[in-house]
PDB file of all heavy atoms in Angstrom:
ATOM      1  N   ASN N   1    -143.681-148.584  -3.399  1.00 88.00           N
ATOM      2  CA  ASN N   1    -144.445-149.501  -2.590  1.00 88.00           C
ATOM      3  C   ASN N   1    -145.587-148.763  -1.831  1.00 88.00           C
ATOM      4  O   ASN N   1    -145.794-148.941  -0.646  1.00 88.00           O
ATOM      5  CB  ASN N   1    -143.573-150.232  -1.571  1.00 88.00           C
ATOM      6  CG  ASN N   1    -142.666-151.279  -2.260  1.00 88.00           C
ATOM      7  OD1 ASN N   1    -142.799-151.567  -3.446  1.00 88.00           O
ATOM      8  ND2 ASN N   1    -141.727-151.807  -1.492  1.00 88.00           N
ATOM      9  N   MET N   2    -146.333-147.954  -2.604  1.00 91.00           N
ATOM     10  CA  MET N   2    -147.381-147.156  -2.025  1.00 91.00           C
ATOM     11  C   MET N   2    -148.679-147.384  -2.802  1.00 91.00           C
ATOM     12  O   MET N   2    -148.684-147.578  -4.001  1.00 91.00           O
ATOM     13  CB  MET N   2    -147.039-145.664  -2.070  1.00 91.00           C
ATOM     14  CG  MET N   2    -145.808-145.303  -1.257  1.00 91.00           C
ATOM     15  SD  MET N   2    -146.125-145.325   0.521  1.00 91.00           S
ATOM     16  CE  MET N   2    -147.200-143.910   0.687  1.00 91.00           C
ATOM     17  N   VAL N   3    -149.803-147.344  -2.092  1.00 94.00           N
ATOM     18  CA  VAL N   3    -151.134-147.435  -2.621  1.00 94.00           C
ATOM     19  C   VAL N   3    -151.969-146.305  -2.048  1.00 94.00           C
ATOM     20  O   VAL N   3    -151.936-146.058  -0.842  1.00 94.00           O
ATOM     21  CB  VAL N   3    -151.787-148.784  -2.332  1.00 94.00           C
ATOM     22  CG1 VAL N   3    -153.213-148.830  -2.881  1.00 94.00           C
ATOM     23  CG2 VAL N   3    -150.972-149.931  -2.932  1.00 94.00           C
ATOM     24  N   TYR N   4    -152.714-145.620  -2.917  1.00 96.00           N
ATOM     25  CA  TYR N   4    -153.443-144.420  -2.502  1.00 96.00           C
ATOM     26  C   TYR N   4    -154.918-144.520  -2.870  1.00 96.00           C
ATOM     27  O   TYR N   4    -155.262-144.524  -4.063  1.00 96.00           O
ATOM     28  CB  TYR N   4    -152.890-143.173  -3.155  1.00 96.00           C
ATOM     29  CG  TYR N   4    -151.396-143.008  -3.029  1.00 96.00           C
ATOM     30  CD1 TYR N   4    -150.539-143.428  -4.058  1.00 96.00           C
ATOM     31  CD2 TYR N   4    -150.840-142.398  -1.923  1.00 96.00           C
ATOM     32  CE1 TYR N   4    -149.175-143.277  -3.931  1.00 96.00           C
ATOM     33  CE2 TYR N   4    -149.493-142.218  -1.787  1.00 96.00           C
ATOM     34  CZ  TYR N   4    -148.666-142.643  -2.795  1.00 96.00           C
ATOM     35  OH  TYR N   4    -147.279-142.471  -2.717  1.00 96.00           O
ATOM     36  N   PRO N   5    -155.804-144.646  -1.914  1.00 97.00           N
ATOM     37  CA  PRO N   5    -157.246-144.499  -2.206  1.00 97.00           C
ATOM     38  C   PRO N   5    -157.640-143.048  -2.152  1.00 97.00           C
ATOM     39  O   PRO N   5    -157.507-142.389  -1.115  1.00 97.00           O
ATOM     40  CB  PRO N   5    -157.907-145.302  -1.066  1.00 97.00           C
ATOM     41  CG  PRO N   5    -156.794-145.965  -0.281  1.00 97.00           C
ATOM     42  CD  PRO N   5    -155.580-145.155  -0.515  1.00 97.00           C
ATOM     43  N   GLN N   6    -158.099-142.524  -3.272  1.00 98.00           N
ATOM     44  CA  GLN N   6    -158.657-141.190  -3.341  1.00 98.00           C
ATOM     45  C   GLN N   6    -160.147-141.295  -3.074  1.00 98.00           C
ATOM     46  O   GLN N   6    -160.878-141.941  -3.802  1.00 98.00           O
ATOM     47  CB  GLN N   6    -158.424-140.579  -4.723  1.00 98.00           C
ATOM     48  CG  GLN N   6    -159.020-139.171  -4.907  1.00 98.00           C
ATOM     49  CD  GLN N   6    -158.398-138.175  -3.974  1.00 98.00           C
ATOM     50  OE1 GLN N   6    -157.188-138.041  -3.922  1.00 98.00           O
ATOM     51  NE2 GLN N   6    -159.214-137.417  -3.267  1.00 98.00           N
ATOM     52  N   MET N   7    -160.586-140.634  -2.016  1.00 98.00           N
ATOM     53  CA  MET N   7    -161.970-140.737  -1.523  1.00 98.00           C
ATOM     54  C   MET N   7    -162.651-139.386  -1.736  1.00 98.00           C
ATOM     55  O   MET N   7    -162.306-138.413  -1.071  1.00 98.00           O
ATOM     56  CB  MET N   7    -162.005-141.147  -0.068  1.00 98.00           C
ATOM     57  CG  MET N   7    -161.201-142.424   0.216  1.00 98.00           C
ATOM     58  SD  MET N   7    -160.705-142.630   1.940  1.00 98.00           S
ATOM     59  CE  MET N   7    -162.248-142.617   2.758  1.00 98.00           C
ATOM     60  N   ASN N   8    -163.588-139.337  -2.668  1.00 98.00           N
ATOM     61  CA  ASN N   8    -164.310-138.113  -2.974  1.00 98.00           C
ATOM     62  C   ASN N   8    -165.772-138.203  -2.516  1.00 98.00           C
ATOM     63  O   ASN N   8    -166.295-139.277  -2.295  1.00 98.00           O
ATOM     64  CB  ASN N   8    -164.259-137.808  -4.476  1.00 98.00           C
ATOM     65  CG  ASN N   8    -162.864-137.630  -4.991  1.00 98.00           C
ATOM     66  OD1 ASN N   8    -162.021-137.126  -4.267  1.00 98.00           O
ATOM     67  ND2 ASN N   8    -162.636-137.992  -6.237  1.00 98.00           N
ATOM     68  N   SER N   9    -166.387-137.038  -2.406  1.00 98.00           N
ATOM     69  CA  SER N   9    -167.812-136.946  -2.033  1.00 98.00           C
ATOM     70  C   SER N   9    -168.128-137.776  -0.817  1.00 98.00           C
ATOM     71  O   SER N   9    -169.074-138.557  -0.772  1.00 98.00           O
ATOM     72  CB  SER N   9    -168.698-137.376  -3.213  1.00 98.00           C
ATOM     73  OG  SER N   9    -168.479-136.555  -4.348  1.00 98.00           O
ATOM     74  N   LEU N  10    -167.340-137.595   0.213  1.00 98.00           N
ATOM     75  CA  LEU N  10    -167.527-138.361   1.445  1.00 98.00           C
ATOM     76  C   LEU N  10    -168.838-138.022   2.138  1.00 98.00           C
ATOM     77  O   LEU N  10    -169.295-136.867   2.123  1.00 98.00           O
ATOM     78  CB  LEU N  10    -166.334-138.136   2.403  1.00 98.00           C
ATOM     79  CG  LEU N  10    -165.001-138.720   1.978  1.00 98.00           C
ATOM     80  CD1 LEU N  10    -163.859-138.109   2.778  1.00 98.00           C
ATOM     81  CD2 LEU N  10    -165.050-140.234   2.107  1.00 98.00           C
ATOM     82  N   ASN N  11    -169.432-139.024   2.734  1.00 97.00           N
ATOM     83  CA  ASN N  11    -170.620-138.818   3.533  1.00 97.00           C
ATOM     84  C   ASN N  11    -170.453-139.478   4.907  1.00 97.00           C
ATOM     85  O   ASN N  11    -169.467-140.180   5.140  1.00 97.00           O
ATOM     86  CB  ASN N  11    -171.873-139.350   2.806  1.00 97.00           C
ATOM     87  CG  ASN N  11    -171.744-140.817   2.427  1.00 97.00           C
ATOM     88  OD1 ASN N  11    -171.665-141.682   3.291  1.00 97.00           O
ATOM     89  ND2 ASN N  11    -171.745-141.090   1.128  1.00 97.00           N
ATOM     90  N   THR N  12    -171.415-139.246   5.779  1.00 97.00           N
ATOM     91  CA  THR N  12    -171.289-139.740   7.143  1.00 97.00           C
ATOM     92  C   THR N  12    -171.188-141.268   7.231  1.00 97.00           C
ATOM     93  O   THR N  12    -170.637-141.817   8.157  1.00 97.00           O
ATOM     94  CB  THR N  12    -172.429-139.253   7.993  1.00 97.00           C
ATOM     95  OG1 THR N  12    -173.694-139.655   7.440  1.00 97.00           O
ATOM     96  CG2 THR N  12    -172.427-137.715   8.143  1.00 97.00           C
ATOM     97  N   GLU N  13    -171.749-141.968   6.255  1.00 96.00           N
ATOM     98  CA  GLU N  13    -171.715-143.433   6.269  1.00 96.00           C
ATOM     99  C   GLU N  13    -170.314-143.973   5.930  1.00 96.00           C
ATOM    100  O   GLU N  13    -170.069-145.159   6.034  1.00 96.00           O
ATOM    101  CB  GLU N  13    -172.728-144.001   5.293  1.00 96.00           C
ATOM    102  CG  GLU N  13    -174.184-143.760   5.689  1.00 96.00           C
ATOM    103  CD  GLU N  13    -175.155-144.437   4.794  1.00 96.00           C
ATOM    104  OE1 GLU N  13    -174.788-144.938   3.724  1.00 96.00           O
ATOM    105  OE2 GLU N  13    -176.373-144.481   5.160  1.00 96.00           O
ATOM    106  N   ASP N  14    -169.421-143.075   5.477  1.00 98.00           N
ATOM    107  CA  ASP N  14    -168.054-143.485   5.224  1.00 98.00           C
ATOM    108  C   ASP N  14    -167.194-143.463   6.498  1.00 98.00           C
ATOM    109  O   ASP N  14    -166.010-143.839   6.446  1.00 98.00           O
ATOM    110  CB  ASP N  14    -167.411-142.588   4.162  1.00 98.00           C
ATOM    111  CG  ASP N  14    -168.056-142.707   2.813  1.00 98.00           C
ATOM    112  OD1 ASP N  14    -168.330-143.864   2.405  1.00 98.00           O
ATOM    113  OD2 ASP N  14    -168.270-141.664   2.162  1.00 98.00           O
ATOM    114  N   THR N  15    -167.746-142.989   7.596  1.00 98.00           N
ATOM    115  CA  THR N  15    -167.039-142.950   8.835  1.00 98.00           C
ATOM    116  C   THR N  15    -166.666-144.347   9.304  1.00 98.00           C
ATOM    117  O   THR N  15    -167.542-145.184   9.483  1.00 98.00           O
ATOM    118  CB  THR N  15    -167.863-142.229   9.920  1.00 98.00           C
ATOM    119  OG1 THR N  15    -168.041-140.863   9.560  1.00 98.00           O
ATOM    120  CG2 THR N  15    -167.161-142.277  11.269  1.00 98.00           C
ATOM    121  N   ALA N  16    -165.387-144.601   9.493  1.00 98.00           N
ATOM    122  CA  ALA N  16    -164.936-145.957   9.887  1.00 98.00           C
ATOM    123  C   ALA N  16    -163.415-145.914  10.039  1.00 98.00           C
ATOM    124  O   ALA N  16    -162.740-144.940   9.708  1.00 98.00           O
ATOM    125  CB  ALA N  16    -165.303-146.982   8.808  1.00 98.00           C
ATOM    126  N   THR N  17    -162.862-147.010  10.564  1.00 98.00           N
ATOM    127  CA  THR N  17    -161.448-147.227  10.578  1.00 98.00           C
ATOM    128  C   THR N  17    -161.101-147.990   9.284  1.00 98.00           C
ATOM    129  O   THR N  17    -161.677-149.048   9.014  1.00 98.00           O
ATOM    130  CB  THR N  17    -161.001-148.037  11.787  1.00 98.00           C
ATOM    131  OG1 THR N  17    -161.374-147.362  12.984  1.00 98.00           O
ATOM    132  CG2 THR N  17    -159.483-148.209  11.767  1.00 98.00           C
ATOM    133  N   TYR N  18    -160.161-147.447   8.512  1.00 98.00           N
ATOM    134  CA  TYR N  18    -159.812-148.006   7.227  1.00 98.00           C
ATOM    135  C   TYR N  18    -158.504-148.755   7.325  1.00 98.00           C
ATOM    136  O   TYR N  18    -157.526-148.272   7.873  1.00 98.00           O
ATOM    137  CB  TYR N  18    -159.715-146.908   6.173  1.00 98.00           C
ATOM    138  CG  TYR N  18    -161.060-146.395   5.703  1.00 98.00           C
ATOM    139  CD1 TYR N  18    -161.818-145.560   6.520  1.00 98.00           C
ATOM    140  CD2 TYR N  18    -161.574-146.752   4.461  1.00 98.00           C
ATOM    141  CE1 TYR N  18    -163.074-145.109   6.106  1.00 98.00           C
ATOM    142  CE2 TYR N  18    -162.800-146.286   4.046  1.00 98.00           C
ATOM    143  CZ  TYR N  18    -163.552-145.474   4.902  1.00 98.00           C
ATOM    144  OH  TYR N  18    -164.796-145.032   4.468  1.00 98.00           O
ATOM    145  N   PHE N  19    -158.499-149.977   6.753  1.00 98.00           N
ATOM    146  CA  PHE N  19    -157.344-150.852   6.770  1.00 98.00           C
ATOM    147  C   PHE N  19    -156.925-151.213   5.343  1.00 98.00           C
ATOM    148  O   PHE N  19    -157.759-151.425   4.472  1.00 98.00           O
ATOM    149  CB  PHE N  19    -157.656-152.184   7.511  1.00 98.00           C
ATOM    150  CG  PHE N  19    -158.085-152.018   8.931  1.00 98.00           C
ATOM    151  CD1 PHE N  19    -159.405-151.788   9.252  1.00 98.00           C
ATOM    152  CD2 PHE N  19    -157.129-152.133   9.938  1.00 98.00           C
ATOM    153  CE1 PHE N  19    -159.811-151.631  10.574  1.00 98.00           C
ATOM    154  CE2 PHE N  19    -157.525-151.973  11.254  1.00 98.00           C
ATOM    155  CZ  PHE N  19    -158.856-151.743  11.590  1.00 98.00           C
ATOM    156  N   CYS N  20    -155.633-151.300   5.118  1.00 97.00           N
ATOM    157  CA  CYS N  20    -155.152-151.866   3.876  1.00 97.00           C
ATOM    158  C   CYS N  20    -154.625-153.279   4.177  1.00 97.00           C
ATOM    159  O   CYS N  20    -154.185-153.572   5.298  1.00 97.00           O
ATOM    160  CB  CYS N  20    -154.059-151.023   3.196  1.00 97.00           C
ATOM    161  SG  CYS N  20    -152.504-150.892   4.102  1.00 97.00           S
ATOM    162  N   ALA N  21    -154.711-154.146   3.205  1.00 97.00           N
ATOM    163  CA  ALA N  21    -154.319-155.553   3.345  1.00 97.00           C
ATOM    164  C   ALA N  21    -153.695-156.024   2.047  1.00 97.00           C
ATOM    165  O   ALA N  21    -154.000-155.489   0.960  1.00 97.00           O
ATOM    166  CB  ALA N  21    -155.517-156.403   3.731  1.00 97.00           C
ATOM    167  N   ALA N  22    -152.858-157.053   2.160  1.00 94.00           N
ATOM    168  CA  ALA N  22    -152.142-157.561   0.970  1.00 94.00           C
ATOM    169  C   ALA N  22    -152.239-159.083   0.915  1.00 94.00           C
ATOM    170  O   ALA N  22    -152.277-159.759   1.940  1.00 94.00           O
ATOM    171  CB  ALA N  22    -150.688-157.123   0.967  1.00 94.00           C
ATOM    172  N   ARG N  23    -152.263-159.600  -0.290  1.00 94.00           N
ATOM    173  CA  ARG N  23    -152.308-161.038  -0.542  1.00 94.00           C
ATOM    174  C   ARG N  23    -151.544-161.338  -1.799  1.00 94.00           C
ATOM    175  O   ARG N  23    -151.657-160.605  -2.800  1.00 94.00           O
ATOM    176  CB  ARG N  23    -153.771-161.487  -0.668  1.00 94.00           C
ATOM    177  CG  ARG N  23    -153.934-162.926  -1.195  1.00 94.00           C
ATOM    178  CD  ARG N  23    -155.380-163.224  -1.467  1.00 94.00           C
ATOM    179  NE  ARG N  23    -155.550-164.484  -2.196  1.00 94.00           N
ATOM    180  CZ  ARG N  23    -155.604-165.688  -1.648  1.00 94.00           C
ATOM    181  NH1 ARG N  23    -155.496-165.826  -0.330  1.00 94.00           N
ATOM    182  NH2 ARG N  23    -155.765-166.777  -2.398  1.00 94.00           N
ATOM    183  N   ALA N  24    -150.744-162.426  -1.788  1.00 91.00           N
ATOM    184  CA  ALA N  24    -150.026-162.829  -2.974  1.00 91.00           C
ATOM    185  C   ALA N  24    -150.989-163.473  -3.957  1.00 91.00           C
ATOM    186  O   ALA N  24    -151.354-164.639  -3.820  1.00 91.00           O
ATOM    187  CB  ALA N  24    -148.910-163.807  -2.605  1.00 91.00           C
ATOM    188  N   ASP N  25    -151.374-162.714  -4.944  1.00 93.00           N
ATOM    189  CA  ASP N  25    -152.382-163.172  -5.904  1.00 93.00           C
ATOM    190  C   ASP N  25    -152.383-162.262  -7.110  1.00 93.00           C
ATOM    191  O   ASP N  25    -152.019-161.066  -7.004  1.00 93.00           O
ATOM    192  CB  ASP N  25    -153.778-163.223  -5.267  1.00 93.00           C
ATOM    193  CG  ASP N  25    -154.694-164.259  -5.881  1.00 93.00           C
ATOM    194  OD1 ASP N  25    -154.515-164.596  -7.073  1.00 93.00           O
ATOM    195  OD2 ASP N  25    -155.582-164.734  -5.167  1.00 93.00           O
ATOM    196  N   VAL N  26    -152.827-162.749  -8.233  1.00 93.00           N
ATOM    197  CA  VAL N  26    -153.008-161.951  -9.416  1.00 93.00           C
ATOM    198  C   VAL N  26    -154.476-161.575  -9.584  1.00 93.00           C
ATOM    199  O   VAL N  26    -154.798-160.569 -10.245  1.00 93.00           O
ATOM    200  CB  VAL N  26    -152.513-162.663 -10.694  1.00 93.00           C
ATOM    201  CG1 VAL N  26    -153.364-163.902 -10.994  1.00 93.00           C
ATOM    202  CG2 VAL N  26    -152.479-161.764 -11.901  1.00 93.00           C
ATOM    203  N   ASN N  27    -155.343-162.322  -8.963  1.00 96.00           N
ATOM    204  CA  ASN N  27    -156.779-162.074  -9.048  1.00 96.00           C
ATOM    205  C   ASN N  27    -157.251-161.267  -7.858  1.00 96.00           C
ATOM    206  O   ASN N  27    -156.767-161.427  -6.747  1.00 96.00           O
ATOM    207  CB  ASN N  27    -157.541-163.399  -9.094  1.00 96.00           C
ATOM    208  CG  ASN N  27    -157.158-164.261 -10.270  1.00 96.00           C
ATOM    209  OD1 ASN N  27    -157.160-163.817 -11.390  1.00 96.00           O
ATOM    210  ND2 ASN N  27    -156.816-165.504  -9.983  1.00 96.00           N
ATOM    211  N   VAL N  28    -158.197-160.353  -8.050  1.00 96.00           N
ATOM    212  CA  VAL N  28    -158.715-159.552  -6.983  1.00 96.00           C
ATOM    213  C   VAL N  28    -159.568-160.406  -6.070  1.00 96.00           C
ATOM    214  O   VAL N  28    -160.267-161.315  -6.510  1.00 96.00           O
ATOM    215  CB  VAL N  28    -159.532-158.343  -7.522  1.00 96.00           C
ATOM    216  CG1 VAL N  28    -158.603-157.404  -8.274  1.00 96.00           C
ATOM    217  CG2 VAL N  28    -160.683-158.813  -8.400  1.00 96.00           C
ATOM    218  N   VAL N  29    -159.499-160.136  -4.779  1.00 97.00           N
ATOM    219  CA  VAL N  29    -160.220-160.864  -3.760  1.00 97.00           C
ATOM    220  C   VAL N  29    -160.917-159.864  -2.836  1.00 97.00           C
ATOM    221  O   VAL N  29    -160.297-158.859  -2.439  1.00 97.00           O
ATOM    222  CB  VAL N  29    -159.284-161.767  -2.926  1.00 97.00           C
ATOM    223  CG1 VAL N  29    -160.026-162.454  -1.784  1.00 97.00           C
ATOM    224  CG2 VAL N  29    -158.630-162.819  -3.837  1.00 97.00           C
ATOM    225  N   THR N  30    -162.149-160.135  -2.466  1.00 97.00           N
ATOM    226  CA  THR N  30    -162.919-159.228  -1.651  1.00 97.00           C
ATOM    227  C   THR N  30    -163.185-159.743  -0.234  1.00 97.00           C
ATOM    228  O   THR N  30    -163.712-159.016   0.603  1.00 97.00           O
ATOM    229  CB  THR N  30    -164.268-158.894  -2.304  1.00 97.00           C
ATOM    230  OG1 THR N  30    -165.039-160.080  -2.448  1.00 97.00           O
ATOM    231  CG2 THR N  30    -164.064-158.284  -3.690  1.00 97.00           C
TER     232      THR N  30
END
């Protein structure tokens, strides 16, 4: 029950608080 975002070539614009979220769905939602 784990999900891993691998973040490469980070830049200053990537600075933020990162959240994971879940939804009961088969289709991707943005």
Side-chain angles (χ1 to χ4, degrees):
N1 289 350
M2 298 287 290
V3 177
Y4 309 96
Q6 177 65 50
M7 307 159 59
N8 298 328
S9 301
L10 289 166
N11 56 64
T12 56
E13 293 186 349
D14 295 317
T15 296
T17 302
Y18 285 74
F19 300 86
C20 67
R23 168 187 169 86
D25 208 333
V26 65
N27 302 308
V28 295
V29 175
T30 62

